[in-house]
Amino acid sequence: MKKLLIFLLPLVWACGSKKSADLEDTLEKYIKKSDESNPNSCLMKYQDKLDDLLTLAMVCKATGFKAENADTSYSKIMRNPEYHKVNYSFKNKRMGKVPALDGIYELNDQISVGAIKPMTLEEFNRDYKPATEEQVVAAKEALDDALENNEEVKEIRKKAETVSDEQIKKTGGVLVDMFKKISEGYRNVEGIGGAARWNIITTTLNVWHDGTHFELVVNIDNDVDKNKQVALSLAKEILAKCR
């Protein structure tokens, strides 16, 4: 719809009448509004009922997993529902790697949805894209500063006498490297909502639609593309509830 309106603007300008000027104002206001956050969107109504937005039946249909093998959890650790999520976990004895760890481990197959919150398109495009080198440097500096000056970290150092400053800094470096790697994992996705990004590292699909953001995490296979296809399928079903 927005692309159509943008296409119409040059035609409106060509008309040159007061009526066309009024129509131009209306179209521009609509385009601007469509990029804004929307705390009253259909998706926001599911913010405190995520298990209705993404049901166990939907997950089983998309994966072929059996409902009786599912372990469902609804995380509400923080009061703010923006941080709530519902997670469906299945013990299918899949073996695979864990980021930042060596070796092969038995992994649970998991699908979750959450992080529903009002968001502008500008914020979405800013937050879900590769970090700049300046941002990576800033993250490292902030972490180094916290390791040096944070009182809680100092207290931990006192209690953990066997942990050296070098080990702590090395751990901080791993975190920064992971931040950079995750940031570089974003890929643009067409045809899902108003905008969407798939992260090949975290197997997460971030979707922006009608001024609202939600997040789908799909980790059911060692094949990233398989995870992506299931995520896209579920995202389409979720968005279909808010047509």
Side-chain angles (χ1 to χ4, degrees):
M1 179 64 176
K2 179 182 172 183
K3 290 181 179 178
L4 175 60
L5 293 176
I6 293 173
F7 173 76
L8 288 174
L9 277 176
L11 301 180
V12 173
W13 291 330
C15 294
S17 65
K18 182 180 184 301
K19 185 177 290 186
S20 67
D22 292 340
L23 179 57
E24 177 187 333
D25 289 341
T26 301
L27 291 176
E28 287 187 333
K29 286 177 182 177
Y30 179 87
I31 292 170
K32 182 178 180 182
K33 184 177 180 181
S34 68
D35 289 347
E36 293 176 353
S37 64
N38 185 1
N40 300 310
S41 71
C42 169
L43 283 169
M44 287 296 295
K45 296 175 183 177
Y46 287 95
Q47 196 180 41
D48 59 354
K49 44 185 179 181
L50 296 170
D51 48 354
D52 285 341
L53 184 65
L54 178 66
T55 66
L56 177 58
M58 290 167 62
V59 169
C60 291
K61 178 184 175 183
T63 61
F65 297 160
K66 295 181 179 179
E68 57 265 30
N69 295 334
D71 180 12
T72 304
S73 61
Y74 202 130
S75 175
K76 297 182 180 180
I77 297 175
M78 301 184 72
R79 289 184 180 181
N80 189 338
E82 291 182 7
Y83 300 101
H84 295 177
K85 73 172 182 178
V86 64
N87 184 73
Y88 300 98
S89 180
F90 301 81
K91 292 184 177 180
N92 293 326
K93 297 184 178 180
R94 174 167 60 98
M95 304 301 292
K97 294 182 178 181
V98 177
L101 294 179
D102 295 327
I104 302 296
Y105 300 85
E106 184 174 320
L107 307 174
N108 289 347
D109 295 331
Q110 302 192 62
I111 294 180
S112 65
V113 69
I116 295 181
K117 55 187 174 183
M119 181 179 286
T120 67
L121 182 57
E122 181 181 359
E123 289 169 335
F124 181 86
N125 288 329
R126 178 198 65 201
D127 292 347
Y128 301 104
K129 68 175 184 179
T132 63
E133 192 60 37
E134 289 79 6
Q135 289 172 322
V136 173
V137 171
K140 185 178 185 307
E141 290 176 349
L143 187 59
D144 288 344
D145 181 66
L147 292 174
E148 291 295 330
N149 303 311
N150 188 283
E151 293 300 323
E152 292 182 4
V153 173
K154 289 180 180 179
E155 190 63 29
I156 292 172
R157 279 175 167 168
K158 289 180 182 178
K159 294 179 180 179
E161 296 178 354
T162 58
V163 180
S164 68
D165 286 355
E166 189 62 32
Q167 287 174 306
I168 292 175
K169 288 183 178 180
K170 184 177 180 181
T171 301
V174 170
L175 291 175
V176 172
D177 289 343
M178 182 60 70
F179 162 73
K180 183 178 180 181
K181 188 175 182 180
I182 290 173
S183 168
E184 292 172 345
Y186 286 113
R187 301 291 185 271
N188 191 50
V189 177
E190 299 290 342
I192 299 292
R197 303 285 188 277
W198 170 252
N199 193 295
I200 62 174
I201 305 300
T202 62
T203 61
T204 300
L205 181 67
N206 295 95
V207 179
W208 182 88
H209 180 70
D210 190 22
T212 307
H213 164 273
F214 72 89
E215 178 179 281
L216 261 174
V217 180
V218 176
N219 188 355
I220 61 167
D221 199 284
N222 295 335
D223 184 344
V224 175
D225 287 335
K226 173 68 179 298
N227 291 324
K228 179 182 178 181
Q229 292 309 311
V230 171
L232 296 181
S233 174
L234 289 172
K236 289 176 181 178
E237 280 199 70
I238 287 173
L239 291 170
K241 295 186 176 186
C242 287
R243 284 177 178 168

